[in-house]
Amino acid sequence: MRPMKKIRVLIVDDSIVFRETLSQKLSANPQLEVVGSAADTFDAMEKIKQLRPDVLTLDVEMPKMNGIDFLKKLMPTDPLPVVVVSSLPINAFEALDAGAVDFVRKPSAKSSSDITDFINELIVKIKIASTAHVGKKLSAIPQPATQFTADIDNMVIAIGASTGGTEAILSVIKDLPVTTPGIVIVQHMPPVFTKMYAQRLDKNCIMSVKEAENLDRVEKGKVIIAAGENHLTLARDARGFYVKSRPGQKVSGHCPSVDVLFDSVASIAGSNAIGILLTGMGADGAKGLLNMRKNGAYTIGQNKESCVVYGMPMVAYNIGAVTKQLPLLDITGDIIGYMNKIGNTKK
């Protein structure tokens, strides 16, 4: 039996102590091989040419050229899966915008448990990044209808995503009009980062976007993003839909969990819902999407070609949870088309 090919990793960080610690810890994993390290981005560019790593770990704050500018220079010519290591949400999101696959939050404390958790998360994300599709340029965005032709009440849209999801979610919701039914979203992300992500989306979308707070109302023109380490569920009273945002144990490996959200939408909204599962590793959301479809919801899965990681939507498709599988850039128009169809049918 041939031995499994190891994932070749290059570490880029200006701290020699941090580089040595990462190298030692990552090398201890039998699936990883640290092929080298670089103290700055200029050194990194040369090491990439010499060593041809499979994945790069990248600090953002470095001398000579910061990690964001480095990514903008690297990705158009030598696209490579990059996992950013940063303590600041703003840096992490700018890195994702520049082409990084994912990010890991630097441990704020130096306790052994914090460092162990950080290393374990980094190893998982390096393995995921090694399977990611990077450097693909999506075709021009189709021009969907800018407005609904029917006024839809009593509906909700639920979206789930993981690796690659920050940009995918923006692509789906950016141009949806204020007449769009309320949207609830789970994107796998730690605390603090989810609030920053919601704020970034709010600046770039027509609809208003906020991080979930317990008992927030789900209303037209409003998007609610699950808070890190809190499950998001849909509920209903005489006034309509609202959300519950509460801490809990991991479900399907995550908190917040897409499965938890989708299961609640299936139960509360039934056929008055659209479920959308986007790029991400693993299976979170697949069973929940199937539950939604069984309860009459219209369900969409992102297709393989447009996913950064075709994991969650692949599992959903394979178990029959997906009504329609679509390229990322076709999803917005399909949402509007479906809503107009059912709205006009109800007239």
Side-chain angles (χ1 to χ4, degrees), residues 7-21:
I7 300 166
R8 294 164 53 82
V9 182
L10 177 66
I11 298 167
V12 185
D13 197 288
D14 63 328
S15 167
I16 186 171
V17 174
F18 197 71
R19 292 198 306 272
E20 290 178 349
T21 300

Side-chain angles (χ1 to χ4, degrees), residues 46-93:
E46 291 302 315
K47 293 284 177 63
I48 289 170
K49 294 175 182 176
Q50 295 169 11
L51 303 171
R52 293 298 172 187
D54 299 313
V55 178
L56 206 70
T57 70
L58 178 67
D59 188 18
V60 175
E61 294 299 324
M62 288 186 296
K64 299 183 181 178
M65 180 190 293
N66 66 45
I68 308 299
D69 291 337
F70 171 69
L71 280 168
K72 291 177 180 177
K73 183 177 180 181
L74 174 72
M75 286 302 175
T77 57
D78 295 287
L80 183 68
V82 175
V83 178
V84 165
V85 179
S86 176
S87 57
L88 300 175
I90 185 66
N91 286 344
F93 291 123

Side-chain angles (χ1 to χ4, degrees), residues 15-146:
S15 167
I16 186 171
V17 174
F18 197 71
R19 292 198 306 272
E20 290 178 349
T21 300
L22 276 190
S23 181
Q24 179 185 5
K25 299 290 186 181
L26 297 182
S27 296
N29 188 281
Q31 292 177 256
L32 305 182
E33 178 187 0
V34 177
V35 295
S37 63
D40 58 59
T41 52
F42 290 94
D43 186 20
M45 195 66 79
E46 291 302 315
K47 293 284 177 63
I48 289 170
K49 294 175 182 176
Q50 295 169 11
L51 303 171
R52 293 298 172 187
D54 299 313
V55 178
L56 206 70
T57 70
L58 178 67
D59 188 18
V60 175
E61 294 299 324
M62 288 186 296
K64 299 183 181 178
M65 180 190 293
N66 66 45
I68 308 299
D69 291 337
F70 171 69
L71 280 168
K72 291 177 180 177
K73 183 177 180 181
L74 174 72
M75 286 302 175
T77 57
D78 295 287
L80 183 68
V82 175
V83 178
V84 165
V85 179
S86 176
S87 57
L88 300 175
I90 185 66
N91 286 344
F93 291 123
E94 288 179 353
L96 293 173
D97 290 344
V101 172
D102 212 334
F103 66 88
V104 179
R105 181 175 48 176
K106 269 189 176 179
S108 55
K110 295 184 179 180
S111 68
S112 58
S113 62
D114 286 340
I115 293 173
T116 298
D117 290 343
F118 162 73
I119 293 295
N120 289 340
E121 183 181 4
L122 181 58
I123 288 172
V124 169
K125 293 196 172 182
I126 287 171
K127 292 176 180 178
I128 293 172
S130 72
T131 70
H133 301 103
V134 297
K136 284 188 175 181
K137 293 296 182 183
L138 298 175
S139 57
I141 297 177
Q143 296 300 314
T146 57

